Amino acid sequence: MKTETTKPKRPNLNFKLPLFLFSLILLTFSCSNEDAEMLDTQALEPNIVEILESYNRTASNAKISDDKYSDSEPTFEILSVALAKTKLASTVSKNRLTVFAPTDKAFEAIGLNKKNIAEVPGIVDILLYHVVGQPVYSSDLVSGPVPTVQGTDVIVNVDGDQVLINNSIVTTADIKARNGVIHILDSVLMLPSMNLVELAISQNPEFSILVEAVTKAGLGETLAGGGPFTVFAPTNQAFVDLLEATPFTSLDDIPMDLLTQILLYHVVDGYVFSNQLSNGFVPTLNGAAVQVNLDMAPMVYINDSNVIMANVQATNGVVHAINKVLMPPTLNLVELASSFDPEFSLLLEAATTAGLAGVLSGEGPYEQLTVFAPTNAAFLEFLGLSDVDEAKTVISGIDVGTLTSILLYHVVEGRVYSSDLSTGPVSTLNGDFDLDLGSLTIDGSAMLVPSLLNVQATNGVVHVIDEVLVP
């Protein structure tokens, strides 16, 4: 999910710090002066606090002397006051740290200034949420969660030449200090204080039906204590619209298994912030994937649902509010093919004759399969026939071994969406076929049907093709 932003000039960032190092950092770091690693106070370089104050002096001196000083130049008077009044200045001066430093403009944007900053509830935790207990340069970081001195993770995301800490842009990186490094941010990092369920409850009545559904399905404990998860959260109106469009009149009418699968279809494992999304498919805890569409930016769609509020962070994940309930697939691969009947009746006849119908129905041994499915027209051309009933008779008489070999050449293990494919060999259950995405052909002739790609089933995905593939 991309957002329109102006990218300030900054170093090219390439983040590569292993996460185990951060775990070690937390074990060794302490905010007390007694336990902290002390630095050589005689060193010539200024410490982190002194560097922040030097920005403030430069701006102040420029204004006094009427020198030209750009308003775009960062100052840190509010942060400096906050560190002083909370008595964290000494800690930040003497310990080896990384500080993600919001500018004065960043604090002012949320109504904070030098007079009220020290009175903000939990200000010490908020400040420590901007600190990592080890010098970490831009060349050391990778996208992912990073533990802070406060104890709660921030999420680093490297998106091309732009780097974000949660939703804050790093406008200047790698300002070196005697005891560490400063990265300047364009907004204040807001410390999450509620888990995903508490966050949804706090938004009542906007998400009261979602909370009721989660409780009814017995998923409350998982979403409150597990994770991290990303939740695409339908509003109350989204649930009302769903009930009006279905035979169900209330949540009580929805079968429990279906309700559970619907809810799991809204949950993605791990943190996925808006700027981490791209066109394609994102697997959910349901097993099936949701499709992200950014083609109508700034509008962002998850399947046919519009994201109306993004990046609300919880202690164990992130929430994106959406305006429609996402409906997962409810048919297995065989049921899905049957629903197209008679378009795929010959494929089903072949699968039944070869004894593969159970495999394609999800009975094992494969949990998820991808089927490149030839149409009836493809089978008729392959057999040199024009009548579907005659073709069924012919198929039922084909040697089972030969038929099985042909069918398995159309099946790939796992869910493989079009966005996962690339030109080259594709491994099937019976050898590799050659895919050319440029011409959308398989083995040089069979065409993928663009309008019938990524048709999802409960146990896999179907891509329709116009020829029978021969191994």
Side-chain angles (χ1 to χ4, degrees):
M1 191 182 305
K2 305 291 182 184
T3 54
E4 294 290 333
T5 55
T6 301
K7 297 183 180 180
K9 295 181 180 179
R10 54 192 167 277
N12 186 28
L13 303 176
N14 181 22
F15 288 8
K16 301 178 182 176
L17 184 63
L19 291 182
F20 78 86
L21 179 56
F22 281 117
S23 300
L24 179 62
I25 289 165
L26 282 184
L27 290 174
T28 58
F29 177 82
S30 167
C31 283
S32 70
N33 291 337
E34 185 175 73
D35 297 329
E37 179 186 355
M38 302 301 289
L39 302 169
D40 179 8
T41 57
Q42 302 302 314
L44 295 177
E45 297 88 351
N47 61 45
I48 289 173
V49 171
E50 290 169 341
I51 286 180
L52 294 175
E53 291 174 346
S54 72
Y55 277 85
N56 304 333
R57 286 195 301 272
T58 300
S60 178
N61 291 338
K63 291 175 183 177
I64 292 172
S65 60
D66 290 328
D67 289 344
K68 291 182 179 179
Y69 190 80
S70 172
D71 287 340
S72 64
E73 294 296 329
T75 56
F76 302 94
E77 293 181 356
I78 299 174
L79 178 57
S80 297
V81 168
L83 292 173
K85 290 192 174 181
T86 57
K87 300 184 179 179
L88 288 175
S90 176
T91 297
V92 174
S93 298
K94 297 178 181 179
N95 292 279
R96 296 185 61 77
L97 305 170
T98 296
V99 173
F100 298 110
T103 64
D104 286 335
K105 287 184 178 180
F107 279 107
E108 290 164 356
I110 57 174
L112 298 180
N113 53 53
K114 290 185 289 185
K115 294 182 179 179
N116 64 14
I117 184 66
E119 309 304 321
V120 173
I123 185 59
V124 171
D125 280 334
I126 292 172
L127 293 173
L128 294 180
Y129 186 56
H130 290 73
V131 180
V132 174
Q134 178 79 9
V136 182
Y137 289 88
S138 59
S139 58
D140 297 325
L141 290 168
V142 293
S143 294
V146 174
T148 68
V149 170
Q150 189 275 335
T152 304
D153 292 351
V154 291
I155 309 302
V156 174
N157 182 43
V158 182
D159 182 22
D161 63 346
Q162 186 178 80
V163 177
L164 291 95
I165 309 299
N166 293 354
N167 287 317
S168 298
I169 298 173
V170 176
T171 58
T172 304
D174 298 335
I175 301 172
K176 187 177 180 181
R178 181 172 75 239
N179 63 319
V181 61
I182 299 169
H183 305 297
I184 298 177
L185 300 183
D186 72 341
S187 60
V188 179
L189 303 176
M190 301 309 295
L191 178 65
S193 60
M194 295 178 284
N195 63 46
L196 289 165
V197 174
E198 291 169 337
L199 184 62
I201 292 173
S202 73
Q203 299 295 319
N204 270 336
E206 190 63 33
F207 298 102
S208 60
I209 300 179
L210 174 61
V211 172
E212 180 185 351
V214 166
T215 303
K216 185 178 179 63
L219 296 175
E221 184 175 343
T222 299
L223 292 178
F229 299 120
T230 296
V231 177
F232 297 105
T235 62
N236 281 357
Q237 186 60 51
F239 276 101
V240 170
D241 293 342
L242 172 69
L243 295 174
E244 289 180 350
T246 64
F248 309 120
T249 58
S250 70
L251 289 180
D252 293 333
D253 294 333
I254 303 177
M256 186 61 66
D257 286 347
L258 177 59
L259 180 62
T260 300
Q261 291 308 310
I262 289 173
L263 292 173
L264 292 177
Y265 192 55
H266 291 75
V267 184
V268 173
D269 192 25
Y271 290 100
V272 184
F273 282 82
S274 61
N275 57 294
Q276 295 173 293
L277 288 173
S278 58
N279 282 337
F281 292 85
V282 179
T284 71
L285 297 191
N286 165 276
V290 292
Q291 185 174 12
V292 178
N293 185 347
L294 308 178
D295 291 340
M296 289 170 279
M299 304 289 284
V300 176
Y301 284 89
I302 309 298
N303 291 354
D304 62 346
S305 180
N306 183 26
V307 175
I308 57 177
M309 180 174 62
N311 301 325
V312 183
Q313 193 173 359
T315 55
N316 64 328
V318 61
V319 173
H320 308 291
I322 56 177
N323 68 350
K324 286 186 179 180
V325 176
L326 307 173
M327 294 303 293
T330 58
L331 304 176
N332 64 44
L333 287 165
V334 170
E335 293 168 338
L336 180 64
S338 297
S339 72
F340 282 90
D341 189 68
E343 189 68 26
F344 294 100
S345 59
L346 295 181
L347 175 61
L348 291 173
E349 180 71 26
T352 302
T353 300
L356 296 176
V359 174
L360 295 176
S361 296
E363 297 174 3
Y366 304 101
E367 291 186 6
Q368 303 286 333
L369 294 169
T370 297
V371 177
F372 293 84
T375 62
N376 278 5
F379 269 98
L380 289 173
E381 182 180 352
F382 174 67
L383 297 170
L385 300 172
S386 59
D387 182 75
V388 170
D389 290 333
E390 183 182 1
K392 287 183 179 180
T393 301
V394 172
I395 288 172
S396 65
I398 296 176
D399 174 72
V400 170
T402 300
L403 195 56
T404 300
S405 175
I406 291 173
L407 291 176
L408 293 182
Y409 191 59
H410 293 75
V411 183
V412 174
E413 185 175 1
R415 285 182 179 267
V416 182
Y417 296 93
S418 60
S419 56
D420 300 320
L421 294 170
S422 58
T423 294
V426 175
S427 297
T428 75
L429 298 184
N430 185 29
D432 295 352
F433 63 62
D434 187 61
L435 174 66
D436 185 345
L437 280 183
S439 60
L440 287 180
T441 58
I442 296 173
D443 287 344
S445 59
M447 291 285 298
L448 289 160
V449 180
S451 61
L452 290 173
L453 300 177
N454 307 308
V455 184
Q456 293 199 76
T458 56
N459 65 321
V461 62
V462 171
H463 306 296
V464 178
I465 57 177
D466 69 350
E467 286 187 17
V468 175
L469 306 175
V470 180

